[in-house]
């Protein structure tokens, strides 16, 4: 087996979803109608949809069987116990609280823990995590050291432990209700966090008696990287690595739309009894009774089965290798990407690829639009459009202008990925011809979802 270099998809296709193949002319017209905002496209006008890896994956035969088995009793459904046991198997926290997706878990947790004057440190907050912490008046602080996009380090997602110590010294431990570590570090390029770093953060939390929570959306991908890159884990089974990560934390938030291999779902888990009681009370107000959260019994079954499949080695090897296949092919042809390649996505450095487009003319958006027009590929700008607008209405360049190609799980084949490589290379070759954009209409907040643009000539 090991002698073959080609990593095949470890599944056969069982149910076929058609892709409508559009023409360049059609796509140019659709993009114009959408105000050059890819969120405003109809998904069936997209050929390869790499907007997100969240909830966009394909479920397995056994997950669909679980959907049939789903029991829709309001309280105490057998599907709840199946779900609870599957989560508990990997994350043995005392309290497991289902929610309809990750941000619902964040909203509940921060409603209990956040308040004006509080500070929440994280290696890097995902947007909804930041927004939910800030919505309570708390301050959300990122503590990942800044690395050059091309610097190849094995655990670029790690938290800066010295910066965490300084923050605790400056603000005082009472200002910090919880310390978060996001695995993998999505906003920093899907980069993993090492077990050594989790242990070091744990030690700081212990010294100051602070709770540590994981934002565990991509826990299995992170565990695979630990096994591949961290000394001492070469032959540790993935579920054991996951349990060790969990053993270093006091709780977690989770979006089952990523490494739950499901299309919807999430949970909140913790050991603290009184915190759990307060969270459950809020859960009943906003999500539902504690044995279903915001989910149907069938969703609970799909997640339980997804958790068994996501820690399988053949799956994870294929998953991580196929993401690297795309990223490495782009890097080899001179397209600047964040390296090493992360777990769930490839991030193109649009600012480096399009130096003639200033950040305030949105090089990431220009590249994302070109990938759509040329090849029908939908990606996501993560740069000045997303982060450049400040609450006072002023605008400045974001730290980076990236375009994320996020890979849905078990959905596209290698020939789809080869097509993406060909299209990106084609666009990169003609990058000097690309022009920036200006914003013609935008809301006061979260403008990347709804802003309308006009190309500059
Ligand atoms: N935490 C991280 C690290 C995430 O990447 C996401 C979602 C969430 C929390 C929120 O989970 O969507 O279930 O409410 N990330 C998606 C993305 C949307 O495209 O990266 P959710």
């Amino acid at each position: 087996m090991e002698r073959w270099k080609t990593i095949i998809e470890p599944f056969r296709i069982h149910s076929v979803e058609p892709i409508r193949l559009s023409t360049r002319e059609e796509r140019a017209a659709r993009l114009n109608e959408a105000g050059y905002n890819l969120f405003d496209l109809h998904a069936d006008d997209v050929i390869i949809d790499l907007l997100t890896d969240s909830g966009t994956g394909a479920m397995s035969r056994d997950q669909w069987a679980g959907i049939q088995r789903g029991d829709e009793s309001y309280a105490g459904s057998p599907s709840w116990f199946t779900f609870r046991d599957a989560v508990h198997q990997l994350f043995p926290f005392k309290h497991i609280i289902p929610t309809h997706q990750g941000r619902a878990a964040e909203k509940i947790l921060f409603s209990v823990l956040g308040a004006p004057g509080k500070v929440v440190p994280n290696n890097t907050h995902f947007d909804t995590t930041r927004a939910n912490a800030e919505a309570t008046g708390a301050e959300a602080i990122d503590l990942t050291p800044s690395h050059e996009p091309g610097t190849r380090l094995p655990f670029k997602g790690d938290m800066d432990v010295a910066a965490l110590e300084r923050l605790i010294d400056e603000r005082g431990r009472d200002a910090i209700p919880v310390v978060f570590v996001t695995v993998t570090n999505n906003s920093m390029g899907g980069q993993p966090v090492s077990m050594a770093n989790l242990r070091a953060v744990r030690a700081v939390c212990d010294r100051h008696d602070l709770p540590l929570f994981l934002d565990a959306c991509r826990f299995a991908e992170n565990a695979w990287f630990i096994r591949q890159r961290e000394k001492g884990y070469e032959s540790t089974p993935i579920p054991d690595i996951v349990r060790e990560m969990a053993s270093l934390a006091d709780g977690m938030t989770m979006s089952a739309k990523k490494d739950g291999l499901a299309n919807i779902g999430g949970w909140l888990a913790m050991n603290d009894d009184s915190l759990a009681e307060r969270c459950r009370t809020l859960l009943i107000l906003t999500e539902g009774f504690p044995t279903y959260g915001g989910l149907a019994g069938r969703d609970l079954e799909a997640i339980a089965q997804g958790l068994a499949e996501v820690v399988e080695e053949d799956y994870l090897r294929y998953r991580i290798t196929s993401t690297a296949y795309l990223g490495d092919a782009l890097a080899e042809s001179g397209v600047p990407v964040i390296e090493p390649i992360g777990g769930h996505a490839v991030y193109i450095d649009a600012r480096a690829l399009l130096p003639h487009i200033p950040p305030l003319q949105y090089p990431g958006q220009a590249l994302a639009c070109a990938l759509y027009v040329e090849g029908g590929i939908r990606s996501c700008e993560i740069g000045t459009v997303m982060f450049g607008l400040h609450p006072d209405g002023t605008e400045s360049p974001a730290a980076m202008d990236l375009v994320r190609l996020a890979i849905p799980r078990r959905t596209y084949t290698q020939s789809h990925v080869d097509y993406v490589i060909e299209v990106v290379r084609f666009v990169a070759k003609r990058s000097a011809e690309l022009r920036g954009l200006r914003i013609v209409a935008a809301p006061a907040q979260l403008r990347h979802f709804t802003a309308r643009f006009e190309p500059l000539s």
Side-chain angles (χ1 to χ4, degrees), residues 51-54 100-104 106 124-129 182-187 215-218 253-258 264-266 344 347 404 406:
L51 186 64
T52 177
D53 66 320
S54 180
H100 82 275
Q101 64 182 83
R103 66 199 68 184
E106 295 163 1
T124 315
H125 288 85
F126 179 67
D127 343 1
T128 60
T129 327
T182 304
V183 295
T184 59
N185 190 330
N186 181 12
S187 311
D215 175 341
C217 294
R218 298 177 181 86
T253 54
M254 176 68 190
S255 167
K257 301 173 75 170
K258 284 82 168 177
I264 196 71
H344 68 295
Y347 294 70
R404 183 180 78 168

Side-chain angles (χ1 to χ4, degrees), residues 13-244:
I13 293 166
H14 176 65
S15 173
V16 165
E17 201 179 344
I19 296 178
R20 197 178 70 79
L21 299 176
S22 50
T23 62
R24 186 184 188 281
E25 204 180 15
E26 234 180 288
R27 292 191 295 270
R30 295 292 89 77
L31 187 64
N32 182 279
E33 287 157 18
Y36 296 84
N37 190 327
L38 301 169
F39 283 98
D40 211 31
L41 291 171
H42 291 218
D44 54 9
D45 291 327
V46 173
I47 295 179
I48 306 285
D49 204 346
L50 307 182
L51 186 64
T52 177
D53 66 320
S54 180
T56 51
M59 290 208 296
S60 68
R61 170 193 66 189
D62 294 341
Q63 284 180 292
W64 283 108
I67 295 266
Q68 280 296 322
R69 251 193 331 268
D71 178 295
E72 303 305 339
S73 304
Y74 188 90
S77 148
S79 300
W80 148 250
F81 293 104
T82 304
F83 165 85
R84 185 200 61 183
D85 294 349
V87 173
H88 204 256
Q89 178 80 21
L90 292 170
F91 301 98
F93 295 115
K94 195 164 166 200
H95 302 280
I96 292 163
I97 301 173
T99 60
H100 82 275
Q101 64 182 83
R103 66 199 68 184
E106 295 163 1
K107 163 84 178 146
I108 289 170
L109 183 69
F110 289 123
S111 300
V112 174
L113 294 179
K118 300 282 184 196
V119 185
V120 180
N122 198 323
N123 45 349
T124 315
H125 288 85
F126 179 67
D127 343 1
T128 60
T129 327
R130 167 176 294 279
N132 274 306
E134 289 176 349
T136 69
E139 201 182 330
I141 296 192
D142 292 342
L143 298 176
T144 308
S146 60
H147 298 292
E148 285 301 310
T151 314
R152 296 184 70 95
L153 293 169
F155 291 105
K156 257 172 132 173
D158 279 356
M159 177 178 266
D160 182 339
V161 181
L164 176 63
E165 297 253 36
R166 281 197 301 278
L167 183 76
I168 299 170
D169 280 350
E170 279 162 23
R171 302 297 185 93
R173 72 156 299 283
D174 292 342
I176 302 177
V178 60
V179 175
F180 253 90
V181 176
T182 304
V183 295
T184 59
N185 190 330
N186 181 12
S187 311
M188 291 294 290
Q191 300 291 321
V193 174
S194 64
M195 196 72 84
N197 186 250
L198 280 177
R199 242 183 259 120
V201 174
R202 171 80 260 168
V204 173
C205 290
D206 281 345
R207 265 204 303 287
H208 298 278
D209 193 22
L210 288 172
L212 171 60
F213 269 55
L214 297 177
D215 175 341
C217 294
R218 298 177 181 86
F219 70 86
E221 294 172 6
N222 200 84
W224 180 262
F225 282 118
I226 288 177
R227 185 170 145 144
Q228 295 300 107
R229 299 182 182 172
E230 195 162 352
K231 209 164 171 288
Y233 291 94
E234 300 81 359
S235 49
T236 312
I238 296 293
D240 289 351
I241 298 179
V242 175
R243 280 186 285 270
E244 187 173 338

